[in-house]
Amino acid sequence: MTVFDGPLDVIVVGGGQAGLALAWHLKRQGMRFLVLDAGSEIGHVWRSRWDSLTLFTAARYDALPGLDFPGPADRYPNKDEVADYLRDYAAAFELPVRLNTRVVRLSRAADGFALVTGDGETYRARQVVVATGPFQTPFIPPVGGRLDPAVTQVHSSGYRRPADLPDGPVLVVGGGNSGMQIAAELAATRSVHLSIGSTLTTLPQRPLGVDLFWWLTRLGVVTKPADSRLARRMRDRGELLIGTSRRALRRAGVAFRPRLVGAEGTQARFEDGGTLQVRNVVWATGFRPDYSWLDVDGALADGRPAHRRGVTGVPGLYFLGLPWQHSRGSALLGFVKHDAAYLAERITAFAGAGPYPSVERVG
């Protein structure tokens, strides 16, 4: 086992947009830090999404601190352009990112924290920021296990293009942005059924000919604190569907089904009692957090981060890039910079003041 001399001032776990945005601040502050990322390249999460994925935010709203997103400001970048931007961002500011480095255990140490990687290396740091993002463990409902092995099943995180699926109809389960976009793409090649458990609020991408996020930023919707009245109303309504509507999908030939409640062999069963013989299933059913590697008392509550705007009750431990960490924009590419700037200030203050005397209870 290799033990690196230290401790470092800060280690950031996760080299996606959240980790890189914070790294930009840490570099400017002269911190001695590292970003540890499990991927083989910067931007690997974006590059591994389905081929036709494009952002629903225009390029003008996709920049991290210090570097504009390239190209025309009103275009909608695709996923490979985002991956390229993150790679170029890290290179432009010479950010210290160590790839192929998966953290398998984070624990307290006398001088801060110890982080053990899958290769058996140990890193030490006085402060740690967990920036692993919301896309951690793909979730497939238990009903998927009751389908016949002859049925091809793929989670949206593993879906790439229609040609990868065997011939035959597709059942897409999940009516969020991913499910709607994948269903629309598949409908051009085959029969598609889309199972949706609840109706979500749909917004056009360019209301009155102007980008939706122009309106949302002007109205302060994206940056409203999570505990504000407006933010609470938004959270209660669930995920926003942007740029894709039921009407458009019906015109494309997509058949809508209610919530999937059961399956047996090659037959799927829905909440209204209807059934469907399935050949392919795409599970657009989201992700679940996985913090099993985080062995720090007080960092989690019921398996989820216990924090106030990313600051935990554990001295020197933070989270970044969580959905609704502080606002609707907390997990969005061009808006995570606000939370990154806030945490950078807290990290600097902690470094100057020394360790806190005890663990506070948060959440």
Side-chain angles (χ1 to χ4, degrees), residues 319-339:
F319 289 92
L320 181 61
L322 301 174
W324 288 104
Q325 176 164 314
H326 176 64
S327 69
R328 173 66 179 86
S330 287
L332 297 180
L333 174 61
F335 297 91
V336 69
K337 58 190 174 188
H338 302 299
D339 288 342

Side-chain angles (χ1 to χ4, degrees), residues 302-320:
D302 297 325
R304 296 181 178 273
H307 69 96
R308 297 189 186 101
R309 199 173 179 180
V311 181
T312 77
V314 180
L317 181 63
Y318 314 87
F319 289 92
L320 181 61

Side-chain angles (χ1 to χ4, degrees), residues 190-214:
R190 65 190 74 204
S191 171
V192 176
H193 296 255
L194 178 59
S195 171
I196 298 179
S198 59
T199 301
L200 302 179
T201 302
T202 301
L203 297 174
Q205 196 157 39
R206 300 187 65 83
L208 301 178
V210 180
D211 183 80
L212 173 64
F213 278 80
W214 183 90

Side-chain angles (χ1 to χ4, degrees), residues 16-34:
Q17 60 255 26
L20 295 180
L22 180 62
W24 183 85
H25 288 282
L26 299 179
K27 183 76 177 285
R28 285 167 59 89
Q29 293 166 353
M31 291 283 186
R32 185 169 170 262
F33 74 99
L34 273 178

